[in-house]
Amino acid sequence: MTELLASPGNPSSLHSSGRRARRQVEESREKVARALGARPAEVVFTAGGTEANNIAVKGIAWDQRDKDPKRTRILASSVEHHAILDPIEWLVSSDGFTVTWVEVTPTGEVTPDALRTALGDDPSDVAVVSIMMANNEVGTINDIAALTAVTAEYGICFHTDAVQAPAWLEVNFAALGVCAMTVSAHKVGGPHGVGALVISRSCTVTPLIHGGGQERDVRSGTLDTAGIVGFATALDVGTARRPETVARVAALRDDLVAKVAAVIPDAVFNGSIESRLVNNAHFTFPGCLGDSLLMLLDAQGVECSVGSACNAGVPQPSHVLLAMGSDAESARGTLRFSLGHSSTQADVDALIAVLPEAVERAKRAGVPRTPATAGMHS
Ligand code: PLP
């Protein structure tokens, strides 16, 4: 990437530098396609997962409504990332669409039965269904092939946000039966600000960004050659090493979970341990505000995440935990520890060494009352 950053060449230019950059982009497209079980022509490079999700949800919804004005309903799970929730809420508030949120189990999973219930007796008004492959907060994995088997009965377009998946799971676009799938480089060890929408040739979208038409008729804008090469390399290397990485990180995560339970006996482990990304450990620490705990741990050199969003400076409960049936107060006391391919036993031990005191101090600070404005998707 650093070599490419120093070399000129727009991959859409016809001169030698441009053709050299184009070759790098197309070789990267082949690598990304190979790693994801797709064809190179199905890979549309974007500036990350958020953009790919917006193209999928808005682009497919608009295209479907153009073809059949009755198709104005969108289905998505209630635990999607904001890069899915917010475009849908915008389509509902500003563009005449309606939404049916698909309910999840207490461990955050979408079942084929729940999808059928949300589709209802007459799903002929559905424009697009979007269900994530793996949840970014609690790591729950959905059986996407079982879900697309349901929508295939009605010929409904299915998009999956697979941003969290390829680092830890084998992803085969062709076998999943989806029309479109989102991936992001920085979740597979690549750079920020680059990703892809994998989109089957039979699926058409109305573009969001008009211009030079660099990525078929789906997306315009000069491509970031260095970022794309970084993305493809990370995915390629990560896929080859995945079996070893998964085994090592799963053992570390299980150790982390056991040790947290030993030092903080009232900590609640959220989600399912089986159907879950191996790098994810997610807890509720009763009586603590997740944000306080995060800052106390950060001061000790442990960087972790809360699921909650911040609204006007007040931490809001995680919409994922609420959808899984948690009460608002518990949903604000959550913390996610994510391991990466470079995590070690020393990292886990460093967390366990500082966690009891951080929890003690966060409990003393207490949890302010949840404001009445806290909404599920705010
Ligand atoms: N979808 C999921 C499930 C994510 O976890 C993320 C990022 O964390 C995104 C979408 C957004 O991707 P990006 O950061 O590449 O815009």
Side-chain angles (χ1 to χ4, degrees), residues 143-234:
D143 183 348
I144 297 297
L147 298 173
T148 58
V150 176
T151 47
E153 289 172 30
Y154 306 101
I156 295 171
C157 287
F158 193 113
H159 163 258
T160 188
D161 175 349
V163 164
Q164 292 287 336
W168 310 105
L169 304 173
E170 190 183 333
V171 174
N172 189 310
F173 180 74
L176 287 170
V178 295
C179 297
M181 179 175 87
T182 294
V183 283
S184 175
H186 72 104
K187 299 295 178 190
V188 295
H192 295 105
V194 58
L197 183 67
V198 185
I199 178 163
S200 85
R201 294 296 281 180
S202 59
C203 177
T204 45
V205 302
T206 303
L208 270 62
I209 303 171
H210 297 88
Q214 282 86 346
E215 286 293 89
R216 294 166 34 192
D217 42 1
V218 178
R219 198 255 188 193
S220 291
T222 300
L223 293 173
D224 170 6
T225 306
I228 286 169
V229 167
F231 174 25
T233 306

Side-chain angles (χ1 to χ4, degrees), residues 82-318:
H82 274 280
I84 289 289
L85 297 179
D86 293 13
I88 292 175
E89 289 186 339
W90 180 84
L91 287 168
V92 171
S93 66
S94 310
D95 201 20
F97 283 89
T98 61
V99 60
T100 306
W101 300 112
V102 186
E103 285 187 10
V104 297
T105 64
T107 56
E109 196 181 334
V110 178
T111 63
D113 280 349
L115 178 56
R116 272 186 204 285
T117 303
L119 285 167
D121 293 335
D122 180 12
S124 62
D125 61 343
V126 175
V128 58
V129 172
S130 185
I131 310 268
M132 68 202 322
M133 193 173 294
N135 185 268
N136 50 295
E137 281 187 41
V138 293
T140 302
I141 298 166
N142 284 316
D143 183 348
I144 297 297
L147 298 173
T148 58
V150 176
T151 47
E153 289 172 30
Y154 306 101
I156 295 171
C157 287
F158 193 113
H159 163 258
T160 188
D161 175 349
V163 164
Q164 292 287 336
W168 310 105
L169 304 173
E170 190 183 333
V171 174
N172 189 310
F173 180 74
L176 287 170
V178 295
C179 297
M181 179 175 87
T182 294
V183 283
S184 175
H186 72 104
K187 299 295 178 190
V188 295
H192 295 105
V194 58
L197 183 67
V198 185
I199 178 163
S200 85
R201 294 296 281 180
S202 59
C203 177
T204 45
V205 302
T206 303
L208 270 62
I209 303 171
H210 297 88
Q214 282 86 346
E215 286 293 89
R216 294 166 34 192
D217 42 1
V218 178
R219 198 255 188 193
S220 291
T222 300
L223 293 173
D224 170 6
T225 306
I228 286 169
V229 167
F231 174 25
T233 306
L235 195 53
D236 198 32
V237 173
T239 302
R241 294 183 187 164
R242 191 167 49 215
E244 181 274 323
T245 310
V246 164
R248 186 166 42 78
V249 171
L252 280 178
R253 193 272 315 271
D254 291 350
D255 185 56
L256 186 156
V257 172
K259 285 180 173 157
V260 169
V263 296
I264 315 288
D266 65 347
V268 179
F269 181 72
N270 296 308
S272 117
I273 189 78
E274 292 90 23
S275 186
R276 182 191 200 96
L277 297 175
V278 297
N279 73 319
N280 175 295
H282 191 280
F283 298 92
T284 300
F285 294 97
C288 299
L289 189 61
D291 293 63
S292 312
L293 206 42
L294 181 150
M295 286 306 173
L296 288 159
L297 289 172
D298 188 65
Q300 299 297 319
V302 177
E303 297 184 343
C304 56
S305 303
V306 286
S308 53
C310 210
N311 197 339
V314 184
Q316 302 290 315
S318 147

